[in-house]
Amino acid sequence: AQSVAQPEDQVNVAEGNPLTVKCTYSVSGNPYLFWYVQYPNRGLQFLLKYITGDNLVKGSYGFEAEFNKSQTSFHLKKPSALVSDSALYFCAVRPSSNTGKLIFGQGTTLQVKP
Amino acid sequence: GAVVSQHPSRVICKSGTSVKIECRSLDFQATTMFWYRQFPKQSLMLMATSNEGSKATYEQGVEKDKFLINHASLTLSTLTVTSAHPEDSSFYICSAGGQGRQPQHFGDGTRLSIL
């Protein structure tokens, strides 16, 4: 079965430190990869996507993600975390043959402390 | 960027009431929209795919007679929770777009509380 895994329920970092939120996937073919962020009682906001090309993708709010095909990973990164980055982050994958459905990871809560 | 509007943001009503939630794509046409349900601190669970001009496609285990979906235009899909009961209380989120390489764009969700 196709799946997306975010192995950490919560990631804690100090403000100003780099952050990484991990994502691995098990999807056949060459899927499209996405990261979304969710603030409390809000919908999901699109951060960035990987389609093809450079393995390091830059997105909104200073976030970037590193694609590794051999490890089937797409980890979210930011060089310097802000307290306002504290939120719930979702990795999502769309199989290339799919009509549009996304497969979501279980989500990772990022807590940035001052 | 693309905007999806979801209304209402919060509903509190008595058991047995039917509740309609609207999802609108404000600056693009969406032949496909998606309806999700989210429990506290959990991931999104896809309920159904809403298709403009045709019947919705429901995920396994989702009661189509309970959760009625209508997608009558290229910018509007509605989800009606019929005869809602306390176990239907949840956060419902819609999304639109997302074909091919494009990301899905999400509404801000509807918090449904059935008393």
Side-chain angles (χ1 to χ4, degrees):
Chain A
Q2 301 185 111
S3 63
V4 177
Q6 293 178 240
E8 303 149 317
D9 288 336
Q10 182 157 328
V11 170
N12 298 308
V13 298
E15 187 174 31
N17 283 2
L19 70 87
T20 299
V21 182
K22 296 179 180 178
C23 173
T24 60
Y25 61 93
S26 177
V27 176
S28 58
N30 297 308
Y32 306 129
L33 310 171
F34 304 88
W35 274 101
Y36 288 89
V37 60
Q38 185 181 32
Y39 294 96
N41 296 309
R42 301 293 297 276
L44 276 63
Q45 294 179 33
F46 169 69
L47 280 179
L48 51 78
K49 66 180 179 182
Y50 176 82
I51 306 300
T52 59
D54 289 340
N55 290 342
L56 186 64
V57 179
K58 293 190 182 297
S60 304
Y61 312 116
F63 283 92
E64 54 193 28
E66 188 170 16
F67 170 66
N68 187 314
K69 187 172 184 177
S70 63
Q71 297 184 3
T72 60
S73 66
F74 189 52
H75 300 330
L76 182 70
K77 299 174 182 287
K78 187 172 183 180
S80 179
L82 300 172
V83 173
S84 57
D85 292 330
S86 299
L88 182 58
Y89 290 80
F90 288 102
C91 179
V93 175
R94 177 185 301 134
S96 55
S97 60
N98 194 275
T99 57
K101 289 183 186 179
L102 290 173
I103 304 169
F104 282 93
Q106 59 267 49
T108 299
T109 297
L110 173 65
Q111 188 73 37
V112 182
K113 297 183 178 179
Chain B
V3 178
V4 174
S5 174
Q6 188 172 340
H7 179 79
S9 58
R10 185 174 182 101
V11 180
I12 302 172
C13 58
K14 295 181 179 179
S15 184
T17 305
S18 292
V19 178
K20 180 186 283 188
I21 303 170
E22 292 187 349
C23 181
R24 295 181 184 274
S25 56
L26 297 184
D27 56 357
F28 66 102
Q29 294 182 332
T31 55
T32 302
M33 293 185 176
F34 301 90
W35 287 97
Y36 297 87
R37 184 172 179 175
Q38 185 181 29
F39 293 101
K41 297 189 178 182
Q42 293 191 24
S43 190
L44 280 70
M45 181 192 79
L46 179 65
M47 299 174 64
T49 302
S50 173
N51 304 299
E52 188 268 336
S54 64
K55 292 182 179 180
T57 305
Y58 290 83
E59 295 299 303
Q60 191 172 10
V62 177
E63 299 176 59
K64 61 181 180 181
D65 295 331
K66 174 75 171 175
F67 299 100
L68 299 179
I69 291 173
N70 184 275
H71 194 154
S73 78
L74 288 171
T75 59
L76 174 64
S77 176
T78 60
L79 169 69
T80 301
V81 184
T82 61
S83 187
H85 292 283
E87 58 267 28
D88 298 324
S89 298
S90 193
F91 193 54
Y92 293 86
I93 306 175
C94 71
S95 72
Q99 299 302 308
R101 302 179 172 194
Q102 299 307 314
Q104 286 183 19
H105 297 281
F106 289 80
D108 269 343
T110 298
R111 175 74 57 191
L112 177 62
S113 299
I114 307 297
L115 305 178

